[in-house]
């Protein structure tokens, strides 16, 4: 568990879990706070992230897929050049090789579920990374929330 008001400390913690990235604090005049908790559930790593201070993260997804489930606030993402908006009740699936640039709202909370390489296959014809509506998407989101 990490609880900090030090942006550099938060950035180091993100590097150990997500790998190489670049992040910027977009509201340096506002207080920055981050609470970062990590756990293991079988083969899955689950991160609970919450905080205040608007951020930008630029990264490339490496070996594993990540399912991002916002619980509070929004995340605006550009994945491989396409814009997506993740808000509570939706999820975004980041797959190996995806180039991403995202910005958070001033306050945010969410779950990142890291999916090991052997448990997720990249589809030959990828669809939308946004999991939002439809019975299949809702089952995936409900299962992910139960896992977390």
């Amino acid at each position: 568990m990490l609880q900090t008001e030090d942006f550099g400390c938060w950035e180091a913690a993100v590097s150990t879990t997500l790998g190489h990235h670049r992040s910027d604090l977009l509201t340096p005049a506002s207080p920055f706070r981050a609470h970062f908790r990590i756990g293991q559930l079988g083969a899955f790593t689950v991160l609970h992230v919450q905080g205040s201070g608007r951020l930008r993260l630029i990264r490339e997804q490496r070996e594993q897929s990540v399912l991002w489930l916002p619980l509070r606030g929004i995340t605006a993402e550009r994945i491989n050049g396409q814009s997506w908006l993740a808000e509570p009740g939706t999820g975004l699936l980041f797959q190996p090789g995806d180039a991403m640039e995202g910005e958070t709202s001033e306050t945010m909370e969410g779950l990142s579920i890291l999916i090991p390489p052997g448990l997720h296959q990249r589809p030959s014809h990828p669809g939308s990374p946004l999991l939002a509506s439809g019975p299949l998407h809702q089952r995936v989101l409900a299962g992910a929330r139960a896992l977390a």
Side-chain angles (χ1 to χ4, degrees):
M1 181 172 88
L2 170 71
Q3 192 159 347
T4 186
E5 294 180 7
D6 181 338
F7 184 70
C9 184
W10 175 86
E11 217 175 6
V14 170
S15 285
T16 62
T17 55
L18 295 180
H20 178 72
H21 74 286
R22 191 181 93 219
S23 54
D24 301 305
L25 183 58
L26 300 176
T27 54
S30 300
F32 172 79
R33 290 186 185 87
H35 179 82
F36 191 82
R37 193 173 57 187
I38 187 168
Q40 202 69 35
L41 187 57
F44 298 91
T45 302
V46 179
L47 291 89
H48 178 240
V49 181
Q50 63 186 115
S52 61
R54 217 167 137 240
L55 305 174
R56 176 184 302 126
L57 261 71
I58 300 171
R59 64 215 179 276
E60 182 176 320
Q61 194 61 39
R62 297 294 181 191
E63 302 122 18
Q64 57 199 3
S65 297
V66 174
L67 179 58
W68 168 245
L69 301 170
L71 302 173
R72 184 171 44 112
I74 60 170
T75 307
E77 292 279 353
R78 287 192 58 81
I79 304 171
N80 301 324
Q82 274 198 273
S83 296
W84 302 97
L85 187 67
E87 58 189 348
T90 68
L92 274 178
L93 180 62
F94 303 107
Q95 300 187 64
D98 282 348
M100 298 154 322
E101 180 177 343
E103 290 187 17
T104 67
S105 55
E106 181 66 31
T107 59
M108 57 80 68
E109 179 179 8
L111 299 169
S112 280
I113 301 174
L114 284 61
I115 304 167
L119 296 179
H120 180 260
Q121 300 292 324
R122 187 175 189 101
S124 56
H125 300 291
S128 167
L130 181 66
L131 304 178
S133 61
L136 175 61
H137 285 180
Q138 289 305 308
R139 282 197 308 272
V140 169
L141 291 170
R145 286 186 196 98
L147 176 66

